[in-house]
Amino acid sequence: MHSNSCCVLFLVCIYIVFNVIHAQPVPGPTKILLSCGNQKGGNDADGRKWEPDSKYLVNADKSVESKAETQDSSLPSDVPYMTARIFNAETSYKFSVNGSSRIFLRLHFYPSPYPNLNISNSYFSVKAGGVTLLNNFSAATTALALSQAYIIKEYTLAPSDLNDLSLTFKPSDKYSSSFAFVNGIEVIETPEMFDDNTGMVGFAGGDSSVTVEATKASMETMYRLNVGGQFIPPTNDSAGLMRSWYDDTAYIFGASSGVTNKANTTIRVGGLAVILAPLDVYSTARTMGPDPNINKNYNLTWVFEVDANFTYLVRFHFCDYLYQKVNQRVFEIFINNQTASDTLDVIALAEGANQPMSKDFAVHVNGKQDNNEIWVALHPNVGVKPEFYDAMMNGLEIFKLGDGKANLAGPNPELSDLMRKQQEHNNKKFAEGKSYTSAIIGGAAGGAAAFGIAAAIIFVSQNRKRRHPGNHSMSSWLPLHGHSQTSSTTISGRSHGSTAISSDAASNCRYFSLAEIKQATKNFDESNVIGVGGFGKVYKGVIDGDTKVAIKRSNPSSEQGVNEFQTEIEMLSQLRHRHLVSLIGFCEEGNEMALIYDYMGKGTLREHLYNKNKVTLSWKQRLEICIGAAKGLHYLHTGAKYTIIHRDVKTTNILVDDKWVAKVSDFGLSKTGPNMNQGHVSTVVKGSFGYLDPEYFRRQQLTEKSDVYSFGVVLFEVLCARPALNPSLPKEQVSLADHAMRCQRNGTLEEIIDPHLKGKVKPECLKKFAETAEKCLSDHGTDRPSMGDVLWNIECMLQLESDSSGSQHSRVPSGSNEGSVQNMDHISLMAMHRNTLSLGSEHDVTEQSEDNPDDIFSQIVSQKGR
Ligand SMILES: *[C@@H]1O[C@H](CO)[C@@H](O)[C@H](O)[C@H]1NC(C)=O
Ligand SMILES: *[C@@H]1O[C@H](CO)[C@@H](O)[C@H](O)[C@H]1NC(C)=O
């Protein structure tokens, strides 16, 4: 039944169970966090305490403790990922639990190299109680497919009547050298939170004709979304259940994504709703939008990839805080083209406004018909004549239900050819006794995302196909969250072609044949190599007789991969700016992929800062280069159609051409936010050590302020002429960001600035520069200036310096022959400033009022006047 009574009854049951559990003084609900293979245990980055696992092992002699050989930068914390327990034979843990409780079980896997073990050989099964959770599972393959460094699998186990929960790891016997491993285990008791009469979608006669006894089902969490809201980390979950709630934008189908909104009334979260979801979930929502005619003509739709031939429980979380009355907003819910509910009226069901509620449906996903997908669509019910034609959702969870044989295990994701090559490459390295990086794109890609539901990277082409309903050739998977944002967001909302590179991009840049590239680089002659990156080697070359170019050639077993290659083409071909490195074209032939750029004669900013063999840059040159780079970044953030976040701002990505014009390069990690109307994008953490925004790292939320942080590090690097990370220095000085900030606070910054600059920088200019850099490094993104403000400040500094140095140069000193162009830039910059002021997100506005660039400017102007 879709009736209130059913829902209320179910909540009451929860309430009772919850209270019963809480009424028992001893023992409290079990909550165990194990850091496996770790003898001491420890705290994670969120301050949660993880204990050693050995005392829970039944047969400890069949396993060994091990330490990961490499630490991926995307790991949220050392504990529990950097240690593992390795099982060479079937081994069990035993936990004492309350047999009448439901249990959340989370398994953390970090498939990195471990000493003397080839992680690609690890295939194993995991059982909990009588339920098979994983079978022939390869964490390495799954991580590779997800492009994540680590995987979290979450299960909720039905009450078992047993007071012992056994958790068994068994290496697969298909391969002789196979082993099992695990890095972290969470066992958390919860009150029952499911219903015995969950209606099955797609059976005539409505929801009550076929039901699922969800209370008896063990489940795997596939998706958990804070719809219309932001990522909620485990430490902010309700009732101590430590669930993660992800942003839903990545799953929205098509260009019509509705609008997001936030409650400004008080949500009444009663005793029971507390368990179901945190307040944050209920106080944000996605609705269809203000226009009834538009709403009538589209479905607000989300698409999820799942394993075929399982039944799924789809749980909707609702709370209407915008309307007050019944029949103001009534809508239909479709799941896989079938009506799940035709008259959902949240206020009627919840018996009031501002009242949270949830509604569950079950759906069987048939491998043949449903294309391994769950489609959830909302549409206003026009028939019942509601006051507004609209629909809404606050949260969504999708759980896989165990099949008849108590099995939850699905197949490993299928790898693309490129990924398979990556895996072969790793195997080869292992056979040669060399360490290899874990199979992660970019080496630093990461897994904020996830219950590692089987999910694979989506190449742009596949993603396009996926977006066509009814295409049955799709074999890849959607990662749990923030799916391949590096590629997919660049194309969302555009027409979809079928080749890898969009026609937009293709028409904006030139296609080169492999033969042309070979000729340009003298068959990739080593003497032409000018750099090496995660992507492969960079060659200098000559095309069209005399045009110098830089050619970035992808290594077929590249760790950066096709994804970033395509992102870069898509991004760069749209972007033309004096301070961005221009993409001239690309080559894609067989296994070869290459990108062709303008040649930047003077190389990277970094090499001019502390390469002993080069002439040191003057202070003004440094300011000019910073200004150029800031302009490039400011353009990315505000000047293009979408906000573009570079994600990897550092001195090696700021290049200088023959005329000393600085240009920002390397958009392989860039990300667009569709208008960024939520102010951030949840994402896997990518970027470079030493430059990485700690807030982004902590919360996996990317905003343009993450680039501002990295740029702050660049500013200090320019001032101090030392690398962002220098491990050879004493510990407290290793990180430039930390060291410079400490010196700045203690007033000792002058001691660490580049000796070449001593006495050559005006004190007020130095002060301004250090203050600007310091602001960029603020802990919270909202406290950091915008790129436009940073640019403004540095321009003021340059002006300050130039004014003192006589009148040989009007504004721009040595090297740069920008002349009037520069002046024009200056005017347009002011115009852009006004734009930022009016268009900026909320925090931009408040920040501007505190730190008005015009004020800063007038301060400097008046200083001059004195
Ligand atoms: C919304 O989805 C349902 C179920 O798939 C479909 O029947 C209906 O035509 C869709 N409506 C619109 C306006 O696309
Ligand atoms: C799902 O079941 C159908 C028929 O029952 C079978 O042909 C198909 O291979 C199954 N798919 C998967 C992924 O197991």
Side-chain angles (χ1 to χ4, degrees):
M1 268 190 301
H2 287 300
S3 65
N4 316 356
S5 58
C6 176
C7 184
V8 169
L9 193 72
F10 145 62
L11 291 177
V12 168
C13 290
I14 288 177
Y15 192 53
I16 292 166
V17 176
F18 188 64
N19 275 308
V20 166
I21 287 170
H22 280 252
Q24 291 171 345
V26 237
T30 303
K31 186 184 263 183
I32 299 168
L33 275 69
L34 298 185
S35 176
C36 302
N38 180 343
Q39 291 177 347
K40 290 203 283 283
N43 287 4
D44 67 17
D46 287 328
R48 289 184 296 171
K49 192 170 158 42
W50 298 70
E51 56 176 314
D53 63 332
S54 45
K55 78 169 185 196
Y56 297 94
L57 276 169
V58 176
N59 33 7
D61 53 323
K62 292 201 181 136
S63 68
V64 291
E65 290 159 358
S66 189
K67 276 202 170 67
E69 284 183 342
T70 59
Q71 179 162 17
D72 192 277
S73 63
S74 70
L75 290 181
S77 135
D78 285 10
V79 177
Y81 298 102
M82 288 304 289
T83 60
R85 182 161 297 278
I86 312 279
F87 309 96
N88 295 311
E90 183 169 334
T91 312
S92 297
Y93 289 94
K94 210 161 225 101
F95 304 103
S96 58
V97 293
N98 180 338
S100 61
S101 305
R102 181 163 279 279
I103 290 164
F104 266 118
L105 175 69
R106 289 189 196 99
L107 304 177
H108 298 253
F109 300 104
Y110 176 41
S112 102
Y114 292 92
N116 306 318
L117 292 172
N118 184 356
I119 198 75
S120 304
N121 291 341
S122 167
Y123 284 88
F124 57 97
S125 64
V126 180
K127 279 189 178 181
V131 185
T132 301
L133 307 181
L134 292 166
N135 190 19
N136 199 34
F137 172 66
S138 166
T141 302
T142 308
L144 189 58
L146 277 159
S147 81
Q148 292 185 176
Y150 66 99
I151 300 161
I152 304 170
K153 287 274 187 183
E154 183 187 280
Y155 303 91
T156 155
L157 305 174
S160 66
D161 299 330
L162 295 173
N163 290 333
D164 273 329
L165 169 68
S166 74
L167 178 66
T168 306
F169 291 80
K170 183 169 180 251
S172 166
D173 16 292
K174 276 198 203 156
Y175 312 91
S176 57
S177 53
S178 196
F179 61 95
F181 77 100
V182 65
N183 303 82
I185 302 173
E186 294 176 62
V187 180
I188 298 175
E189 278 179 24
T190 80
E192 182 54 79
M193 47 168 65
F194 295 97
D195 181 7
D196 258 343
N197 289 300
T198 304
M200 194 81 173
V201 174
F203 287 86
D207 35 309
S208 53
S209 62
V210 180
T211 58
V212 170
E213 274 187 297
T215 52
K216 297 212 167 54
S218 293
M219 311 178 196
E220 176 179 353
T221 309
M222 305 299 282
Y223 298 92
R224 178 175 291 124
L225 306 178
N226 179 13
V227 176
Q230 306 191 341
F231 173 71
I232 302 172
T235 41
N236 290 359
D237 191 29
S238 54
L241 298 180
M242 300 195 208
R243 295 163 295 191
S244 298
W245 299 76
Y246 296 94
D247 176 337
D248 69 315
T249 41
Y251 304 99
I252 294 173
F253 170 76
S256 311
S257 56
V259 295
T260 62
N261 40 65
K262 202 167 168 39
N264 52 12
T265 53
T266 311
I267 308 290
R268 280 168 264 159
V269 186
L272 0 141
V274 169
I275 317 161
L276 297 182
L279 180 61
D280 254 17
V281 169
Y282 293 113
S283 52
T284 55
R286 187 177 296 281
T287 57
M288 296 188 79
D291 187 332
N293 290 319
I294 293 177
N295 295 355
K296 234 166 44 180
N297 290 315
Y298 89 97
N299 284 341
L300 185 52
T301 306
W302 294 257
V303 186
F304 304 93
E305 294 273 329
V306 293
D307 291 324
N309 298 346
F310 281 94
T311 297
Y312 292 86
L313 187 142
V314 183
R315 165 167 291 181
F316 295 79
H317 294 273
F318 296 116
C319 176
D320 196 333
Y321 45 75
L322 290 173
Y323 297 132
Q324 279 72 45
K325 293 197 292 270
V326 169
N327 211 45
Q328 284 190 304
R329 166 159 49 196
V330 184
F331 54 94
E332 301 163 290
I333 300 179
F334 303 106
I335 301 178
N336 282 359
N337 289 337
Q338 313 186 71
T339 305
S341 172
D342 52 5
T343 48
L344 202 121
D345 184 329
V346 173
I347 293 186
L349 276 178
E351 299 186 312
N354 305 322
Q355 298 275 16
M357 61 161 281
S358 73
K359 185 91 189 98
D360 295 350
F361 300 98
V363 63
H364 187 76
V365 174
N366 178 305
K368 287 204 182 107
Q369 280 165 23
D370 297 317
N371 198 18
N372 302 7
E373 287 172 339
I374 294 181
W375 288 63
V376 172
L378 307 181
H379 187 258
N381 183 329
V382 177
V384 300
K385 300 201 165 53
E387 192 176 337
F388 302 99
Y389 289 171
D390 198 1
M392 70 173 309
M393 187 176 4
N394 305 65
L396 187 73
E397 290 174 279
I398 299 182
F399 302 96
K400 185 205 281 182
L401 301 179
D403 66 18
K405 289 159 274 157
N407 173 52
L408 280 168
N412 286 314
E414 275 178 38
L415 290 182
S416 69
D417 287 348
L418 198 93
M419 289 167 171
R420 212 182 305 284
K421 278 188 196 138
Q422 161 86 62
Q423 204 166 39
E424 282 161 15
H425 170 77
N426 285 350
N427 286 341
K428 207 170 110 234
K429 284 259 186 80
F430 179 81
E432 289 164 2
K434 291 187 196 132
S435 175
Y436 53 90
T437 53
S438 49
I440 299 308
I441 290 198
F451 316 113
I453 62 147
I457 215 154
I458 301 180
F459 295 116
V460 176
S461 56
Q462 293 171 315
N463 195 41
R464 285 208 182 88
K465 282 191 231 148
R466 191 186 69 79
R467 301 262 162 183
H468 283 297
N471 183 316
H472 290 255
S473 65
M474 245 298 298
S475 63
S476 77
W477 296 75
L478 246 191
L480 175 72
H481 116 103
H483 67 88
S484 69
Q485 306 220 7
T486 46
S487 62
S488 64
T489 44
T490 56
I491 55 117
S492 59
R494 285 204 220 131
S495 61
H496 309 318
S498 60
T499 59
I501 309 297
S502 71
S503 53
D504 267 20
S507 64
N508 275 339
C509 62
R510 176 169 153 191
Y511 179 80
F512 289 85
S513 70
L514 184 57
E516 280 175 282
I517 300 299
K518 282 187 169 163
Q519 196 189 3
T521 56
K522 300 194 186 120
N523 204 12
F524 299 111
D525 194 279
E526 286 295 308
S527 66
N528 284 333
V529 174
I530 51 175
V532 181
F535 186 93
K537 287 180 179 166
V538 184
Y539 298 80
K540 76 178 174 222
V542 178
I543 56 165
D544 302 339
D546 58 354
T547 309
K548 278 193 194 168
V549 291
I551 297 175
K552 199 155 126 182
R553 179 196 194 188
S554 151
N555 172 347
S557 57
S558 157
E559 283 150 19
Q560 194 169 356
V562 171
N563 221 13
E564 255 117 66
F565 174 82
Q566 287 167 345
T567 305
E568 194 146 350
I569 296 177
E570 297 279 340
M571 285 272 182
L572 279 177
S573 62
Q574 307 291 314
L575 300 170
R576 299 281 169 204
H577 189 269
R578 177 174 167 79
H579 296 287
L580 299 180
V581 170
S582 310
L583 180 71
I584 298 172
F586 66 94
C587 165
E588 197 182 20
E589 207 174 303
N591 275 339
E592 287 285 353
M593 297 187 297
L595 297 170
I596 296 87
Y597 304 87
D598 270 348
Y599 182 69
M600 302 292 285
K602 296 265 192 281
T604 67
L605 169 57
R606 183 186 160 115
E607 67 197 81
H608 293 286
L609 289 175
Y610 36 85
N611 185 332
K612 299 280 173 285
N613 302 325
K614 300 230 166 161
V615 185
T616 32
L617 294 174
S618 72
W619 178 237
K620 276 184 217 159
Q621 278 179 309
R622 294 185 204 199
L623 289 179
E624 278 166 5
I625 289 171
C626 290
I627 287 170
K631 279 182 184 166
L633 290 172
H634 180 68
Y635 172 75
L636 288 180
H637 290 176
T638 62
K641 191 151 123 214
Y642 301 109
T643 300
I644 295 163
I645 304 169
H646 185 288
R647 304 180 79 180
D648 201 14
V649 175
K650 54 183 174 184
T651 45
T652 46
N653 282 340
I654 298 172
L655 304 181
V656 198
D657 75 5
D658 283 326
K659 295 173 179 157
W660 291 101
V661 177
K663 302 194 185 216
V664 175
S665 82
D666 229 329
F667 295 77
L669 302 180
S670 291
K671 237 172 105 27
T672 53
N675 304 327
M676 298 282 290
N677 49 11
Q678 296 172 305
H680 81 277
V681 206
S682 291
T683 178
V684 293
V685 173
K686 297 189 180 191
S688 299
F689 271 136
Y691 295 91
L692 209 53
D693 170 11
E695 186 173 59
Y696 168 36
F697 199 76
R698 260 193 324 268
R699 305 179 46 198
Q700 268 93 42
Q701 287 175 357
L702 190 64
T703 73
E704 64 272 34
K705 296 298 181 67
S706 306
D707 284 349
V708 174
Y709 181 93
S710 308
F711 194 72
V713 179
V714 167
L715 292 179
F716 275 126
E717 205 174 331
V718 163
L719 184 66
C720 305
R722 57 149 283 190
L725 278 187
N726 185 350
S728 64
L729 290 172
K731 198 167 164 219
E732 69 283 1
Q733 298 180 16
V734 168
S735 155
L736 173 61
D738 293 348
H739 187 46
M741 286 294 270
R742 211 174 304 112
C743 293
Q744 168 71 354
R745 280 191 214 106
N746 300 341
T748 57
L749 189 69
E750 284 196 40
E751 291 168 18
I752 64 165
I753 73 169
D754 184 359
H756 293 103
L757 293 177
K758 295 239 164 94
K760 302 216 174 94
V761 182
K762 284 187 150 187
E764 65 265 38
C765 190
L766 177 62
K767 180 159 171 273
K768 203 86 237 165
F769 191 88
E771 279 171 10
T772 304
E774 183 186 14
K775 277 230 173 89
C776 292
L777 296 188
S778 299
D779 265 350
H780 297 286
T782 49
D783 299 332
R784 296 175 202 148
S786 70
M787 220 47 235
D789 292 346
V790 175
L791 171 54
W792 184 271
N793 280 320
I794 310 174
E795 292 212 313
C796 292
M797 295 170 214
L798 181 62
Q799 188 117 33
L800 204 65
E801 289 287 352
S802 303
D803 284 347
S804 64
S805 63
S807 53
Q808 313 96 297
H809 303 286
S810 54
R811 280 196 73 255
V812 186
S814 67
S816 175
N817 63 347
E818 288 179 323
S820 61
V821 176
Q822 178 79 23
N823 286 334
M824 214 177 75
D825 266 4
H826 201 73
I827 292 161
S828 64
L829 169 71
M830 286 196 223
M832 278 199 276
H833 248 296
R834 307 275 172 256
N835 274 342
T836 327
L837 281 170
S838 54
L839 297 177
S841 57
E842 258 177 330
H843 49 72
D844 271 344
V845 174
T846 47
E847 171 193 287
Q848 298 275 359
S849 58
E850 288 162 20
D851 186 7
N852 190 323
D854 292 352
D855 287 347
I856 292 165
F857 188 62
S858 57
Q859 274 169 24
I860 293 181
V861 170
S862 62
Q863 272 170 359
K864 274 197 301 181
R866 270 181 238 148

